Amino acid sequence: MNLSFDVLQVLDAIDRTGTFASAAETLRKVPSSLTYLVQKLELDLGVKLFDRTGRRATLTRVGRVVVEEGRRLLEAAEDLEFKAKRIQHGWESDLHIVIDEIIPFEFLWEHVDTFYQLKLDTRLHLSKEVLGGSWDALLTRRADLIVGAAGDPPAIPKLVTKPIGSLQHVFVVAPHHPLASTPEPLTLDIVARHRAVAIGDTSRKPRKLAPRTIAIAANQEILTVPTLEAKLAAQIKGLAAGTIPECLAVEALARGELVKKEVIGMQDITHFYLAWRDDETGGPLRWWVEQLDRPDLIDEVARQRILHG
């Protein structure tokens, strides 16, 4: 190959400075070495790159194409070198962030915008998981960071967890549901006789972690739905009963679309975590941890959920 990065840098410098002498000074070379490189390239390619009839070295039409395309190659080479150095020093080229179903994407957009302003050239991959799916994503390395993972952290090598808050759950049914008129407090046995609605755990098969559920009895009939919004809708329709974050049920309770019932022995608090593996922690991941490592993060999510419905 006749073209090299050294020659492309020489052509670029001559075009920018206007003379071989000025380009040589910029590149800290002697002018004769630049003249030799350019003449050899012209001979090898069989083209004329510079018009030397005037006081300044002027690019020919062919020379202009070679210089402009060469600059793109030089920029790409610089980007590649910079990217390689970033990866070597712990700057991920891709970052996979998983957020729990309880956290709306709107909560992250401001952070995403700020992150892109840093120009780290890291590709973000955002996705949602439910219940054990978040922990499973971290275990199987489908995620670098999980935000809002629910329940007690499982045994994952090099796991780092930070509590980011908890949510109060309420057991609710539609006013026309049989449990609405059942005297309180309800027992778990009474609840288990009725269909429950649950969000499907998104752990992948074959599962390395046991799937998780919230307030579901063994052998209870279950209606499985994909989102919290669908779960709430199913309960309002009277299709099933179950617990749901109180912040999501506030409006439906106020409108009389749902009735809150006390259930003895039912888990009503869920703790959430920010979690990652400490064996491959790069700069972009550390940046996101710094933004989201807040013990009141879930409280803020709950406030936004109540505010926006």
Side-chain angles (χ1 to χ4, degrees):
M1 182 178 292
N2 298 312
L3 283 170
S4 67
F5 286 118
D6 286 340
V7 173
L8 293 176
Q9 286 177 328
V10 167
L11 296 177
D12 172 65
I14 296 171
D15 182 47
R16 284 188 291 104
T17 62
T19 66
F20 280 68
S22 297
E25 184 177 351
T26 300
L27 297 175
R28 297 184 179 181
K29 297 179 181 291
V30 295
S32 59
S33 67
L34 270 62
T35 300
Y36 170 77
L37 285 173
V38 172
Q39 289 178 342
K40 184 176 187 307
L41 180 61
E42 289 178 325
L43 181 62
D44 291 339
L45 296 180
V47 299
K48 188 175 182 180
L49 300 174
F50 286 97
D51 180 356
R52 301 175 180 81
T53 57
R55 298 182 60 182
R56 293 175 60 89
T58 305
L59 285 168
T60 64
R61 184 177 178 182
V62 174
R64 173 60 57 195
V65 172
V66 172
V67 167
E68 291 180 353
E69 293 299 324
R71 281 172 178 156
R72 293 190 182 94
L73 292 174
L74 289 171
E75 290 175 0
E78 289 177 0
D79 289 344
L80 179 59
E81 182 179 347
F82 183 57
K83 182 178 294 185
K85 289 180 179 179
R86 281 205 327 274
I87 294 173
Q88 176 65 28
H89 292 88
W91 292 87
E92 299 96 341
S93 57
D94 289 85
L95 186 64
H96 295 259
I97 300 176
V98 163
I99 63 176
D100 185 80
E101 170 65 16
I102 188 61
I103 301 175
F105 275 117
E106 287 74 11
F107 190 80
L108 292 184
W109 293 142
E110 184 177 348
H111 295 303
V112 170
D113 182 49
T114 303
F115 180 78
Y116 280 135
Q117 291 178 33
L118 300 176
K119 299 187 181 302
L120 300 178
D121 197 27
T122 295
R123 293 184 293 271
L124 282 180
H125 304 263
L126 305 179
S127 60
K128 281 203 171 189
E129 298 283 350
V130 179
L131 297 173
S134 297
W135 297 114
D136 180 73
L138 193 63
L139 176 63
T140 57
R141 297 189 184 276
R142 291 185 287 113
D144 301 302
L145 176 68
I146 54 177
V147 186
D152 295 333
I156 296 178
K158 304 290 186 179
L159 178 67
V160 180
T161 61
K162 293 293 186 71
I164 55 174
S166 59
L167 283 180
Q168 179 80 33
H169 284 68
V170 290
F171 185 86
V172 291
V173 294
H176 57 280
H177 189 279
L179 287 175
S181 57
T182 303
E184 296 180 274
L186 304 179
T187 64
L188 293 176
D189 287 340
I190 292 174
V191 169
R193 298 170 193 165
H194 299 267
R195 184 186 307 113
V197 57
I199 305 178
D201 186 296
T202 53
S203 300
R204 303 287 179 86
K205 294 181 179 180
R207 289 189 173 97
K208 296 188 176 183
L209 298 174
R212 300 188 176 201
T213 59
I214 295 178
I216 301 295
N219 301 319
Q220 186 174 9
E221 183 184 357
I222 301 173
L223 167 63
T224 302
V225 294
T227 65
L228 280 168
E229 285 71 20
K231 187 177 192 294
L232 180 63
Q235 292 178 241
I236 291 174
K237 291 288 186 181
L239 298 174
T243 62
I244 198 162
E246 188 172 26
C247 60
L248 296 181
V250 167
E251 288 192 5
L253 287 168
R255 292 193 298 263
E257 296 174 331
L258 289 173
V259 177
K260 181 164 63 174
K261 303 292 287 187
E262 180 186 354
V263 181
I264 298 175
M266 181 165 285
Q267 177 187 341
D268 60 357
I269 297 289
T270 300
H271 301 287
F272 295 86
Y273 297 88
L274 186 70
W276 65 97
R277 298 175 73 142
D278 199 31
D279 51 354
E280 296 179 3
T281 308
L285 175 56
R286 289 194 296 270
W287 184 90
W288 276 96
V289 169
E290 289 174 3
Q291 311 312 306
L292 301 175
D293 183 11
R294 294 170 39 193
D296 64 341
L297 189 145
I298 294 298
D299 294 336
E300 177 61 26
V301 169
R303 284 193 291 270
Q304 289 193 18
R305 286 279 196 177
I306 293 172
L307 180 63
H308 299 293

